[in-house]
Amino acid sequence: MNWQEHLPALILAIPLLGAFATPLFSLGGKTLRNVWMVSISFLTLVLAFFIWKYVGANGVMVYVMGAEKATLALPSGMTYPVRIILEIDGMSAFMALAGSIVSFAGAVYSVQFMDRFTGMNRFTSLYFLLTAGMLGLMITGDLFNFFVFLEIASVASFGLIAFWRDKPEAIEASFKYMLISQLSAMMVLIAIGTLYGRYNVLNMAGVASMLHLGFAEKFVLAFLVVALATKCGTFPMHMWMPDAYAEAPAGVTCLLVAVSQASLYGLMRVCFSLYGATIGSTFIPWVIVIFGTASMFFGVSMAVVQHEVKRLMGYHSISQVGYMLLGLGVGLLALGNPQAMADYGFTAIKGDVYHIFNYTMYKALLFLTAGALYYATGTRDLDKLGGLARKMPYTTFMFAIAAAAISGLPPFNGFVSKLLIYESVFAVHPFFTVAALVTSILTLASFVKVFQTAFLGPEKACFATVKEVPTSMIMGMAILTLAIVLLTLFPTWVLSNLVEPAAKALVDQGGYIGAIMGGGL
């Protein structure tokens, strides 16, 4: 049997092995534990790359745990999905690659960033559990295991956000995230239970092949949209995000960015693969458009007035999620209408998918640079920072690249994905394009303020002894900087080889169902 067929299982098994074997490797000392952390993260990235290449060449991967066939043939000739099934199409592979890059960068960065603190055994184990939960959300093929991986990621997040447990703010942030996460998880579980009661199937492709839009299905859709939108930080259910992102260690915040995108991926999978064209007969696409527009505007408005750098970036995460929800909503409005899909719908979906990758890279890098500022100066208060460009040239350079990318300045990668979103949403109503442009302008103003305040200006006397951060932190930031530069230099290649295959897989409900069900139920 080809070893590549086992890649879906391996990409979950490796970080889980990393989590549970960390206490053993920690017995060999700090150096061995750090090598273990970086090695497992790198191996996970390599596996994600191989999965992306395999799916690009061979189509959808279906991996059945403990068996060869995903379905059971009934005497009537019908097929029935059984067992635990992992299904990876172009979109799943795309998301797993983005998440693995960020996980690797965060692991490299954390080696020296966390060196000052005790409890690194627990930190490393929870970090790998969070990575495993994130990847599981992206590659699972059934609804119940989506819930299981959502809970794995959530529980690991609670511990990591509260890692500095001597800080009351960290405990509060973790508790707030725990309450929001458990409420969302209960909504997801109720929705899954309702679908199981209706169709006696938990496999997503199986449910999608039988789904008929009635009251119960609309109820499930509303629950799933609200729960998953909450988990990715949508306004007005955003209250957990600034606190959690501000109080978690920088390497964890970096990974939490990718984990929030896993929830957004779940929302997209529910809308496109589970409900498909039937969603057009509901009000949900317009709800998502409104969520997106409100998140963009209110997120950036709250960010502009912040004085604490990681909270400022946390509020910008809300506004960036708004761009992706806006693109998603517009794409859903065109679903089921071939002419609208050709005119603007698929462009919106491409912009949405591209922006997910871009956002994951530049926002993760921004949080790492904020962590570098805190590591070097001991403060995140912009009013106390200044003149650090002379002391921290590498951090300054990489912050400038990430800030330009998030602001959508040409020719950076953020400009290309935002342009696709601008063009497509204009076809629905010019107001949405104006709102997106205003958000970009305010984003630029906000990061110009951060750059001028923290890095430029006169050097503060209290920072006379400040120096550049250690090598592993620079390397962690450099990994993401390199990703941004490559996305910037080769936008045409990225669109045709990375983004379009993922977007086509996302809208191909028939292909997603057929990979498991064949002829259907």
Side-chain angles (χ1 to χ4, degrees), residues 7 18 33 43 158 210 227 246 258 271 309 316 404 428 430 464 486 492 513:
L7 286 171
R33 183 198 61 229
L43 183 55
F158 304 155
M210 293 186 288
C271 293
V309 64
H316 275 298
V428 175
L486 291 175
T492 305
I513 294 171

Side-chain angles (χ1 to χ4, degrees), residues 197-509:
R198 294 275 290 176
Y199 300 108
N200 295 315
V201 177
L202 287 170
N203 181 267
M204 283 192 238
V207 174
S209 66
M210 293 186 288
L211 190 135
H212 300 287
L213 197 63
F215 175 78
E217 287 77 11
K218 290 179 180 178
F219 164 83
V220 166
L221 179 60
F223 261 49
L224 289 174
V225 168
V226 171
L228 294 173
T230 300
K231 287 288 288 184
C232 62
T234 305
F235 181 90
M237 300 86 73
H238 66 282
M239 64 290 293
W240 64 269
M241 185 176 270
D243 289 344
Y245 282 9
E247 298 305 328
V252 173
T253 310
C254 168
L255 184 54
L256 286 175
V257 169
V259 173
S260 72
Q261 296 309 287
S263 296
L264 179 62
Y265 162 82
L267 176 59
M268 297 169 80
R269 186 61 79 193
V270 165
C271 293
F272 284 102
S273 300
L274 197 59
Y275 281 81
T278 60
I279 204 170
S281 62
T282 70
F283 56 86
I284 290 298
W286 280 109
V287 169
I288 293 174
V289 167
I290 293 167
F291 273 164
T293 307
S295 297
M296 281 193 308
F297 181 75
F298 288 106
V300 78
S301 299
M302 290 183 283
V304 168
V305 299
Q306 298 299 315
H307 292 271
E308 203 268 20
V309 64
K310 284 189 75 179
R311 285 187 67 83
L312 178 147
M313 293 177 181
Y315 280 112
H316 275 298
S317 293
I318 298 166
S319 73
Q320 293 299 306
V321 167
Y323 279 101
M324 291 172 267
L325 289 173
L326 180 59
L328 170 61
V330 170
L332 291 173
L333 287 172
L335 201 60
N337 184 338
Q339 186 59 49
M341 183 60 74
D343 288 346
Y344 63 85
F346 192 64
T347 302
I349 295 164
K350 283 196 299 182
D352 195 24
V353 171
Y354 198 178
H355 203 68
I356 287 173
F357 205 98
N358 289 338
Y359 164 77
T360 306
M361 297 302 121
Y362 60 58
K363 179 56 72 171
L365 176 56
L366 283 168
F367 279 119
L368 294 189
T369 58
L373 289 175
Y374 179 67
Y375 184 94
T377 65
T379 183
R380 300 191 301 252
D381 189 344
L382 287 171
D383 296 332
K384 297 178 181 177
L385 297 172
L388 293 173
R390 303 173 186 85
K391 300 284 189 177
M392 306 172 68
Y394 298 118
T395 301
T396 304
F397 173 72
M398 289 185 274
F399 175 87
I401 287 178
I406 193 175
S407 302
L409 293 180
F412 287 93
N413 57 325
F415 170 75
V416 181
S417 55
K418 285 185 177 182
L419 183 62
L420 292 170
I421 293 173
Y422 297 155
E423 290 176 354
S424 56
V425 302
F426 188 85
V428 175
H429 199 284
F431 169 77
F432 298 119
T433 301
V434 172
L437 285 167
V438 169
T439 300
S440 282
I441 293 168
L442 291 175
T443 301
L444 177 61
S446 181
F447 279 99
V448 166
K449 178 186 81 169
V450 175
F451 189 74
Q452 191 277 331
T453 305
F455 296 102
L456 303 181
E459 184 178 312
K460 299 287 181 73
C462 57
F463 297 144
T465 59
V466 166
K467 59 183 180 180
E468 187 59 271
V469 293
T471 305
S472 87
M473 293 174 64
I474 293 173
M475 289 176 62
M477 292 187 285
I479 291 166
L480 298 173
T481 304
L482 178 63
I484 293 170
V485 170
L486 291 175
L487 290 166
T488 298
L489 292 177
F490 305 105
T492 305
W493 184 92
V494 170
L495 272 170
S496 59
N497 293 279
L498 198 63
V499 174
E500 282 193 13
K504 287 177 180 176
L506 183 63
V507 300
D508 184 13
Q509 186 190 28

Side-chain angles (χ1 to χ4, degrees), residues 44-69:
T44 304
L45 173 57
V46 170
L47 291 171
F49 177 77
F50 281 139
I51 287 174
W52 175 72
K53 290 289 288 182
Y54 185 93
V55 171
N58 301 285
V60 181
M61 293 184 79
V62 176
Y63 188 86
V64 186
M65 295 289 189
E68 292 185 7
K69 292 185 178 180

